[in-house]
Each structure stands twice: as structure tokens, then as C-alpha cells.
Coordinates of all heavy atoms in Angstrom, one line a residue:
L397 N 7.4 3.9 11.8 CA 6.2 4.7 12.0 C 5.0 3.8 12.5 O 4.0 4.4 12.8 CB 5.8 5.4 10.7 CG 6.8 6.4 10.2 CD1 6.3 7.0 8.9 CD2 7.0 7.6 11.2
V398 N 5.2 2.5 12.4 CA 4.1 1.6 12.7 C 3.5 1.9 14.1 O 2.2 1.9 14.2 CB 4.5 0.1 12.5 CG1 3.5 -0.8 13.2 CG2 4.7 -0.2 11.1
S399 N 4.3 2.0 15.1 CA 3.8 2.1 16.5 C 2.9 3.4 16.6 O 1.8 3.3 17.2 CB 4.9 2.2 17.5 OG 5.6 0.9 17.5
D400 N 3.4 4.5 16.0 CA 2.6 5.7 16.1 C 1.3 5.6 15.3 O 0.3 6.2 15.8 CB 3.5 6.9 15.6 CG 4.6 7.3 16.6 OD1 4.6 6.8 17.7 OD2 5.4 8.1 16.1
F401 N 1.4 5.0 14.2 CA 0.1 4.8 13.4 C -0.9 4.0 14.1 O -2.1 4.4 14.2 CB 0.5 4.2 12.0 CG -0.7 4.0 11.2 CD1 -1.4 5.0 10.5 CD2 -1.3 2.7 11.0 CE1 -2.5 4.8 9.8 CE2 -2.4 2.5 10.2 CZ -3.0 3.5 9.6
L402 N -0.5 2.9 14.7 CA -1.5 2.0 15.4 C -1.9 2.7 16.7 O -3.0 2.4 17.1 CB -0.8 0.7 15.7 CG -0.5 -0.2 14.4 CD1 0.1 -1.5 14.8 CD2 -1.8 -0.4 13.6
A403 N -1.1 3.5 17.3 CA -1.6 4.3 18.5 C -2.7 5.2 18.1 O -3.6 5.5 18.8 CB -0.4 5.0 19.1
A404 N -2.6 5.8 16.9 CA -3.6 6.8 16.4 C -4.8 6.1 15.9 O -6.0 6.6 16.0 CB -3.0 7.7 15.3
Y405 N -4.6 4.9 15.3 CA -5.8 4.1 14.7 C -5.7 2.6 15.2 O -5.3 1.7 14.5 CB -5.7 4.2 13.2 CG -5.7 5.6 12.7 CD1 -4.5 6.2 12.2 CD2 -6.9 6.3 12.6 CE1 -4.5 7.5 11.7 CE2 -6.9 7.6 12.2 CZ -5.7 8.2 11.7 OH -5.7 9.5 11.3
P406 N -6.0 2.4 16.5 CA -5.8 1.1 17.1 C -6.7 0.0 16.5 O -6.4 -1.2 16.7 CB -6.1 1.3 18.6 CG -7.1 2.5 18.6 CD -6.6 3.4 17.4
D407 N -7.8 0.3 15.8 CA -8.7 -0.7 15.3 C -8.3 -1.1 13.9 O -9.0 -2.0 13.3 CB -10.1 -0.2 15.3 CG -10.6 0.0 16.7 OD1 -10.2 -0.8 17.6 OD2 -11.3 1.0 17.0
I408 N -7.3 -0.6 13.3 CA -6.8 -1.0 12.0 C -5.8 -2.1 12.1 O -4.9 -2.1 12.9 CB -6.1 0.2 11.2 CG1 -7.2 1.2 10.8 CG2 -5.4 -0.3 10.0 CD1 -6.6 2.4 10.1
E409 N -6.0 -3.2 11.4 CA -5.1 -4.3 11.3 C -4.2 -4.1 10.1 O -4.6 -4.3 9.0 CB -5.9 -5.7 11.2 CG -6.9 -5.9 12.3 CD -7.8 -7.1 11.9 OE1 -7.2 -8.1 11.3 OE2 -9.0 -7.0 12.2
L410 N -2.9 -3.8 10.4 CA -2.0 -3.5 9.4 C -1.2 -4.7 8.9 O -0.6 -5.4 9.7 CB -1.0 -2.4 9.9 CG -0.1 -1.7 8.9 CD1 -0.9 -1.0 7.8 CD2 0.8 -0.8 9.6
E411 N -1.2 -4.9 7.6 CA -0.3 -5.9 7.0 C 0.7 -5.3 6.0 O 0.3 -4.5 5.2 CB -1.2 -6.9 6.2 CG -1.9 -7.9 7.0 CD -2.6 -9.0 6.1 OE1 -2.3 -9.0 4.9 OE2 -3.3 -9.8 6.7
L412 N 2.0 -5.5 6.2 CA 3.0 -5.0 5.4 C 3.6 -6.1 4.5 O 4.1 -7.1 5.0 CB 4.1 -4.4 6.2 CG 3.7 -3.2 7.2 CD1 4.9 -2.7 8.0 CD2 3.1 -2.1 6.4
H413 N 3.5 -5.9 3.2 CA 4.0 -6.8 2.2 C 5.1 -6.2 1.4 O 4.9 -5.1 0.8 CB 2.8 -7.3 1.3 CG 1.7 -8.0 2.0 ND1 1.7 -9.3 2.0 CD2 0.6 -7.5 2.6 CE1 0.6 -9.7 2.7 NE2 -0.1 -8.6 3.1
S414 N 6.3 -6.8 1.5 CA 7.4 -6.2 0.8 C 7.6 -6.9 -0.5 O 7.3 -8.0 -0.8 CB 8.7 -6.4 1.7 OG 9.0 -7.8 1.8
G415 N 8.1 -6.0 -1.5 CA 8.5 -6.5 -2.8 C 9.2 -5.4 -3.5 O 8.9 -4.2 -3.3
D416 N 10.2 -5.8 -4.3 CA 11.0 -4.8 -5.0 C 10.6 -4.5 -6.4 O 11.3 -3.8 -7.1 CB 12.5 -5.2 -4.9 CG 13.0 -5.2 -3.4 OD1 13.0 -4.1 -2.9 OD2 13.3 -6.2 -2.9
S417 N 9.5 -5.1 -6.8 CA 9.0 -4.8 -8.2 C 7.6 -4.2 -8.1 O 6.9 -4.3 -7.1 CB 8.9 -6.0 -9.0 OG 8.1 -7.0 -8.4
I418 N 7.2 -3.4 -9.1 CA 5.9 -2.8 -9.1 C 4.8 -3.9 -9.2 O 4.9 -4.8 -10.0 CB 5.7 -1.8 -10.3 CG1 6.7 -0.6 -10.0 CG2 4.3 -1.3 -10.4 CD1 6.7 0.4 -11.2
V419 N 3.8 -3.9 -8.3 CA 2.9 -5.0 -8.3 C 1.5 -4.5 -8.8 O 1.2 -3.3 -8.9 CB 2.7 -5.5 -6.8 CG1 4.0 -5.9 -6.2 CG2 2.0 -4.4 -5.9
D420 N 0.7 -5.5 -9.2 CA -0.7 -5.3 -9.6 C -1.5 -5.4 -8.3 O -1.5 -6.4 -7.6 CB -1.1 -6.3 -10.6 CG -2.5 -6.1 -11.0 OD1 -3.4 -6.4 -10.2 OD2 -2.8 -5.8 -12.2
L421 N -2.1 -4.3 -7.9 CA -2.8 -4.2 -6.6 C -3.9 -5.3 -6.5 O -4.0 -5.9 -5.5 CB -3.4 -2.9 -6.4 CG -2.4 -1.7 -6.4 CD1 -3.2 -0.4 -5.9 CD2 -1.3 -1.9 -5.4
I422 N -4.6 -5.5 -7.6 CA -5.7 -6.5 -7.5 C -5.1 -7.9 -7.4 O -5.5 -8.7 -6.6 CB -6.7 -6.4 -8.7 CG1 -7.4 -5.1 -8.6 CG2 -7.6 -7.5 -8.7 CD1 -8.3 -4.8 -9.8
E423 N -4.1 -8.2 -8.2 CA -3.5 -9.5 -8.3 C -2.9 -9.9 -6.9 O -3.0 -11.0 -6.4 CB -2.5 -9.6 -9.4 CG -1.8 -11.0 -9.5 CD -0.7 -11.0 -10.5 OE1 -0.6 -10.0 -11.3 OE2 0.1 -12.0 -10.5
H424 N -2.3 -8.9 -6.3 CA -1.6 -9.2 -5.0 C -2.5 -8.8 -3.8 O -2.0 -8.9 -2.7 CB -0.3 -8.4 -5.0 CG 0.8 -8.9 -5.8 ND1 0.8 -8.7 -7.2 CD2 1.9 -9.6 -5.5 CE1 1.9 -9.3 -7.7 NE2 2.5 -9.9 -6.7
R425 N -3.7 -8.5 -4.1 CA -4.7 -8.2 -3.0 C -4.1 -7.1 -2.0 O -4.2 -7.2 -0.8 CB -5.1 -9.4 -2.2 CG -5.8 -10.5 -3.1 CD -6.3 -11.6 -2.3 NE -7.0 -12.5 -3.2 CZ -8.3 -12.4 -3.6 NH1 -9.0 -11.3 -3.2 NH2 -8.9 -13.3 -4.4
A426 N -3.5 -6.1 -2.6 CA -3.0 -5.0 -1.8 C -4.0 -3.9 -1.9 O -4.6 -3.6 -2.9 CB -1.6 -4.5 -2.4
D427 N -4.2 -3.2 -0.7 CA -5.1 -2.1 -0.7 C -4.5 -0.8 -1.1 O -5.1 0.1 -1.7 CB -5.7 -2.0 0.7 CG -6.4 -3.2 1.2 OD1 -7.2 -3.8 0.4 OD2 -6.2 -3.7 2.3
V428 N -3.2 -0.6 -0.7 CA -2.5 0.6 -1.1 C -1.0 0.2 -1.3 O -0.5 -0.7 -0.6 CB -2.6 1.7 0.0 CG1 -2.1 1.2 1.4 CG2 -1.9 3.0 -0.4
A429 N -0.4 0.8 -2.2 CA 1.1 0.5 -2.4 C 1.8 1.8 -2.4 O 1.3 2.9 -2.8 CB 1.3 -0.2 -3.8
V430 N 3.1 1.7 -2.0 CA 4.0 2.9 -2.1 C 4.9 2.6 -3.2 O 5.6 1.6 -3.2 CB 4.7 3.1 -0.8 CG1 5.7 4.3 -0.9 CG2 3.8 3.3 0.4
R431 N 4.9 3.5 -4.2 CA 5.8 3.4 -5.4 C 6.8 4.5 -5.4 O 6.5 5.7 -5.2 CB 4.9 3.4 -6.6 CG 4.1 2.1 -6.8 CD 3.4 2.0 -8.1 NE 2.6 0.8 -8.2 CZ 1.8 0.5 -9.2 NH1 1.6 1.4 -10.1 NH2 1.1 -0.6 -9.2
I432 N 8.0 4.1 -5.7 CA 9.1 5.0 -5.8 C 9.5 5.2 -7.3 O 9.7 4.2 -8.0 CB 10.3 4.5 -5.0 CG1 9.9 4.3 -3.5 CG2 11.5 5.5 -5.1 CD1 10.9 3.6 -2.7
G433 N 9.6 6.4 -7.7 CA 9.9 6.7 -9.1 C 8.7 7.2 -9.9 O 7.6 7.2 -9.3
P434 N 8.9 7.5 -11.2 CA 7.7 8.0 -12.0 C 6.6 7.0 -12.1 O 6.9 5.8 -12.2 CB 8.4 8.3 -13.3 CG 9.8 8.4 -13.1 CD 10.1 7.5 -11.9
L435 N 5.4 7.4 -12.0 CA 4.2 6.5 -12.2 C 3.9 6.3 -13.6 O 4.0 7.1 -14.5 CB 3.0 7.1 -11.5 CG 3.1 7.2 -10.0 CD1 1.8 7.9 -9.4 CD2 3.2 5.9 -9.3
R436 N 3.5 5.0 -13.9 CA 3.1 4.7 -15.3 C 1.7 4.4 -15.4 O 1.1 4.6 -16.5 CB 3.9 3.4 -15.7 CG 5.4 3.6 -15.7 CD 6.1 2.3 -16.1 NE 7.6 2.4 -15.9 CZ 8.4 1.4 -16.0 NH1 7.9 0.2 -16.3 NH2 9.7 1.5 -15.9
D437 N 1.0 3.9 -14.3 CA -0.4 3.5 -14.4 C -1.3 4.6 -14.1 O -1.4 5.0 -12.9 CB -0.6 2.3 -13.5 CG -1.9 1.6 -13.7 OD1 -2.8 2.2 -14.3 OD2 -2.1 0.5 -13.3
S438 N -2.0 5.2 -15.0 CA -2.9 6.3 -14.8 C -4.2 5.9 -14.3 O -5.0 6.8 -14.0 CB -3.0 7.1 -16.1 OG -3.6 6.3 -17.1
T439 N -4.5 4.6 -14.2 CA -5.8 4.2 -13.7 C -5.9 4.2 -12.2 O -7.0 4.0 -11.6 CB -6.1 2.8 -14.2 OG1 -5.2 1.8 -13.6 CG2 -6.0 2.7 -15.7
L440 N -4.8 4.4 -11.5 CA -4.8 4.4 -10.1 C -5.0 5.8 -9.5 O -4.5 6.8 -10.0 CB -3.5 3.8 -9.6 CG -3.2 2.4 -9.9 CD1 -1.7 2.0 -9.6 CD2 -4.1 1.4 -9.3
H441 N -5.6 5.9 -8.3 CA -5.5 7.1 -7.5 C -4.1 7.2 -7.0 O -3.5 6.2 -6.5 CB -6.5 7.0 -6.3 CG -7.9 7.0 -6.8 ND1 -8.6 8.2 -6.9 CD2 -8.8 6.0 -7.1 CE1 -9.9 7.9 -7.2 NE2 -10.0 6.6 -7.4
A442 N -3.5 8.4 -7.0 CA -2.1 8.6 -6.5 C -2.0 9.8 -5.7 O -2.6 10.9 -6.1 CB -1.2 8.6 -7.7
K443 N -1.3 9.7 -4.6 CA -1.1 10.9 -3.7 C 0.4 11.0 -3.6 O 1.1 10.1 -3.1 CB -1.8 10.7 -2.4 CG -1.5 11.9 -1.5 CD -2.2 11.8 -0.1 CE -1.9 12.9 0.8 NZ -2.4 14.2 0.4

């Protein structure tokens, strides 16, 4: 989906960071994470 996303939003610089464990967004300096499975952290905005 990357090509289509950057075609729609060409001024966004996208960085993809892979990891197979749930990460702390602040610690890993991630702006948004995709999580698979039930959520545990209620302090996050989730869609």
C-alpha cells in the first residue's frame, strides 16, 4: 500500500519499523503502531 499512500500524500516522509513484540511508542519514538490481537494499554488512542 505504500506507493498508493505516498501518491495521495507526497509530502509525508514514511518510516516503517518492524518488530514482532508490542512496543512502547515513546521509548521507540513511534508515532503510530499497528497492533494485532486484544489491546491491553487503555492510555492510547485506538482505531
Side-chain angles (χ1 to χ4, degrees):
L397 298 178
V398 165
S399 295
D400 287 349
F401 177 73
L402 293 182
Y405 304 102
D407 294 323
I408 291 181
E409 302 170 36
L410 190 63
E411 284 189 5
L412 300 179
H413 297 266
S414 62
D416 292 297
S417 59
I418 294 176
V419 301
D420 181 291
L421 297 188
I422 294 178
E423 180 183 347
H424 287 76
R425 298 189 177 278
D427 303 315
V428 59
V430 178
R431 290 186 178 173
I432 302 170
L435 291 179
R436 300 176 186 174
D437 192 342
S438 62
T439 65
L440 297 170
H441 291 268
K443 179 180 177 65

